[in-house]
Amino acid sequence: MSQSTIYKEYLLQSEPNKFSLDGLKAGEMIVNMGPQHPSTHGVLRLEVVTDGEVIQEVAPHIGYLHRCFEKHAESMAYNQAIPYVDRMDYLAAMNSEHVWCMGVEKLLGITDQIPKRVEYIRVLVAELNRIASHFVAIGTYAIDIGAFTPFLWLLRDREHIQRLLEWVSGARMLYNYIWVGGLYYDLPIGFEDRCREFINYLLPKLDELDTILLENKIFIDRTANVGVLPLDVAINYGCSGPMLRGSGLKYDLRRIDSYSVYPELEFEVPIGKGLAGTTGDCWDRNYVRALECRESAKIILQCLDQMTGNYKRTPDFDPQAACPKKLRMTGTQELYFRGETPRGELGYFFRTTDKSDVPFRCHGRAPSFVNLSVLPEISRGCMVADLIAIVGSVDIVLGEVDR
């Protein structure tokens, strides 16, 4: 066997291709984007078949950031796995922790024992993290399109949220703050006032964001009528979060499943309406995320009202009072629990064994993984430059895609 043949075999093993050169038509070529490329938003490799500038097929190649989350979770206690949960969607760790802990609490049968102040704090920090996550999504998406100023503005305001969450938990991104049965610690003294000041500062900034980005003619031209995801296709592929709501369906698990204290809070579920182009296009998905930041701000203000009113801090309040010292399951159980993160439906499947604090089986249903699967469907027939806009509008986190 010649040296060139050996090298070719090694190449096929290390970088497997879905499309072969033999199957190309006249004028077509295979282009690789990534895995080290800023427009793929992480270590994602896209194998693209193009005819000139027009995309014929796209195949996402994943697995470059495999975290082995599920096997880690099956080798340690439920409460010890929370730092690994943080590292899946590292831009929305509070939301992921919240879903994980609520699922384990349901297995233990202690959902009703969680104090209301703990529940309001959990929702507060989760919604702060939702805004911070959307700021990264919208800001980096603006850079993809060619607008640099919105990125600087949004990362500036996200820094305020990071400092608030660092004040609460001691960490900037990977918090380990929401525990099974409670919290690591109560809010610092003065946090409620500082948080309210931030929200009052933020609301006018969101108006500025609408003006400089969503209403910008260049941004509209690059995103309207591009990457249109029809509602039936979104449902059939299992899309969720802003991907699904951008296509016009009011489906938010905070409303559908009514978990935690969300039923007691007033907020709207934004959907895409095709205001700039076609319902379900890239502009609509970005529009939904921008509106969700406003709704999260409303939720945060309501939580602050409750925590300074009916559920204010007291000297004897212990956020770890309901935390079990030893997590022992009763009997063999199976449970799938889900919640709404910034990217959609995050779900965990558990299978327990009697009196064991380690799950026999654990599986994570990551919204980024499911949403990414629709990419070939909405990219076919678009231009290469539009593929950048489409990938950015999906808002993927590769740590969650590969788990």
Side-chain angles (χ1 to χ4, degrees):
M1 186 180 293
S2 67
Q3 198 74 15
S4 61
T5 306
I6 295 174
Y7 286 150
K8 186 176 180 181
E9 289 295 322
Y10 285 158
L11 182 63
L12 290 174
Q13 291 174 21
S14 62
E15 297 290 349
N17 293 326
K18 178 180 178 181
F19 309 112
S20 65
L21 298 176
D22 300 333
L24 295 182
K25 299 176 183 176
E28 290 185 345
M29 60 181 176
I30 299 175
V31 178
N32 278 293
M33 292 174 55
Q36 284 78 32
H37 197 285
S39 68
T40 56
H41 293 252
V43 280
L44 169 69
R45 172 172 163 250
L46 299 176
E47 185 186 355
V48 188
V49 177
T50 66
D51 184 356
E53 285 287 318
V54 180
I55 295 170
Q56 302 301 310
E57 290 289 344
V58 178
H61 290 268
I62 63 175
Y64 294 90
L65 196 66
H66 184 45
R67 294 188 179 277
C68 204
F69 163 76
E70 282 138 355
K71 286 304 170 188
H72 278 308
E74 291 168 11
S75 63
M76 61 184 67
Y78 296 90
N79 51 351
Q80 293 177 330
I82 294 174
Y84 294 88
V85 174
D86 285 338
R87 285 159 175 79
M88 287 175 59
D89 185 352
Y90 41 78
L91 292 179
M94 287 292 191
N95 303 85
S96 304
E97 290 177 15
H98 194 195
V99 178
W100 175 270
C101 291
M102 285 190 297
V104 177
E105 288 159 5
K106 190 167 184 179
L107 285 171
L108 293 169
I110 61 172
T111 302
D112 297 334
Q113 301 175 23
I114 311 300
K116 269 300 178 69
R117 179 172 172 83
V118 168
E119 292 282 16
Y120 276 108
I121 292 175
R122 286 178 171 187
V123 171
L124 170 71
V125 295
E127 294 305 318
L128 280 171
N129 211 172
R130 189 183 307 275
I131 296 176
S133 175
H134 282 339
F135 278 3
V136 173
I138 299 171
T140 55
Y141 189 54
I143 287 185
D144 290 343
I145 302 302
F148 199 73
T149 301
F151 172 77
L152 297 176
W153 286 9
L154 291 171
L155 266 290
R156 172 200 64 196
D157 294 336
R158 176 177 177 265
E159 185 66 24
H160 296 310
I161 300 176
Q162 297 294 89
R163 288 174 180 173
L164 286 171
L165 295 178
E166 184 179 14
W167 191 18
V168 169
S169 66
R172 285 175 53 84
M173 283 185 67
L174 308 171
Y175 306 105
N176 191 17
Y177 177 67
I178 299 176
W179 285 6
V180 176
L183 302 166
Y184 163 66
Y185 205 70
D186 196 0
L187 296 178
I189 295 174
F191 182 88
E192 293 92 334
D193 295 334
R194 187 79 62 83
C195 189
R196 194 182 296 275
E197 288 176 11
F198 167 71
I199 296 299
N200 292 333
Y201 153 86
L202 181 66
L203 292 175
K205 302 298 181 185
L206 295 177
D207 294 334
E208 294 178 3
L209 175 65
D210 290 348
T211 304
I212 196 173
L213 189 66
L214 294 180
E215 300 170 9
N216 184 290
K217 185 180 186 306
I218 299 175
F219 184 79
I220 292 174
D221 289 344
R222 285 295 312 276
T223 57
N225 301 311
V226 174
V228 177
L229 176 60
L231 182 56
D232 59 334
V233 176
I235 293 172
N236 290 338
Y237 271 83
C239 296
S240 58
M243 283 286 287
L244 178 62
R245 293 190 286 275
S247 296
L249 183 64
K250 278 194 175 184
Y251 187 85
D252 190 314
L253 295 177
R254 294 173 293 177
R255 280 277 182 250
I256 301 297
D257 288 357
S258 301
Y259 58 84
S260 192
V261 291
Y262 284 110
E264 304 170 24
L265 302 171
E266 294 182 5
F267 63 97
E268 297 296 324
V269 178
I271 59 172
K273 300 177 180 178
L275 298 180
T278 306
T279 301
D281 58 15
C282 291
W283 190 91
D284 264 348
R285 291 192 279 276
N286 209 61
Y287 171 70
V288 166
R289 292 186 182 100
L291 290 183
E292 283 188 6
C293 293
R294 296 179 182 274
E295 298 305 317
S296 291
K298 288 183 192 176
I299 294 173
I300 290 168
L301 290 176
Q302 293 174 67
C303 290
L304 292 173
D305 290 340
Q306 292 288 345
M307 290 188 295
T308 54
N310 298 329
Y311 305 105
K312 63 176 63 175
R313 71 176 71 243
T314 57
D316 60 340
F317 174 69
D318 181 9
Q320 299 181 17
C323 293
K325 303 304 179 189
K326 184 73 171 177
L327 278 65
R328 292 199 180 279
M329 300 297 169
T330 55
T332 301
Q333 305 177 62
E334 288 188 359
L335 172 71
Y336 176 76
F337 192 90
R338 62 185 186 172
E340 188 74 31
T341 72
R343 276 148 206 92
E345 178 185 329
L346 172 65
Y348 294 108
F349 170 78
F350 302 96
R351 180 178 293 162
T352 73
T353 50
D354 192 21
K355 296 184 180 180
S356 173
D357 62 345
V358 178
F360 176 78
R361 180 75 177 96
C362 176
H363 174 67
R365 189 266 187 205
S368 293
F369 175 82
V370 181
N371 292 343
L372 180 63
S373 68
V374 82
L375 181 65
E377 196 72 31
I378 60 178
S379 301
R380 219 169 276 121
C382 293
M383 308 291 282
V384 171
D386 291 338
L387 180 60
I388 306 301
I390 295 170
V391 172
S393 74
V394 178
D395 183 24
I396 51 174
V397 171
L398 268 298
E400 186 178 69
V401 171
D402 296 336
R403 294 191 301 287

